[in-house]
Amino acid sequence: MANLSARRDDYQKFLNLGVQVLGISISHKFSQKTFANSLNLPYPLLSDYPQGETILAYDVGQLEG
């Protein structure tokens, strides 16, 4: 969660560089919007549910469980 918040705080810097910020998680897509709203994220969260194949392929996080 700290990483998501840090990207939120730096979001304008990324936009100025022409970088699109995306978040990804193993959570189901129906919970993503509520979670993003709770953190005031200005960028989209993508769901890698149920297997986490993208997360594993890019080694960008940990799968729960």
Side-chain angles (χ1 to χ4, degrees), residues 21-39:
V21 176
L22 302 170
I24 188 166
S25 124
I26 193 71
S27 299
H28 197 280
K29 67 181 179 178
F30 296 113
S31 66
Q32 296 290 54
K33 185 172 183 168
T34 301
F35 183 67
N37 289 341
S38 75
L39 294 175

Side-chain angles (χ1 to χ4, degrees), residues 24-27 48 51-52 55-56 59-65:
I24 188 166
S25 124
I26 193 71
S27 299
D48 202 15
Q51 307 258 313
I55 291 170
L56 291 172
D59 192 26
V60 292
Q62 298 176 356
L63 302 180
E64 297 175 6

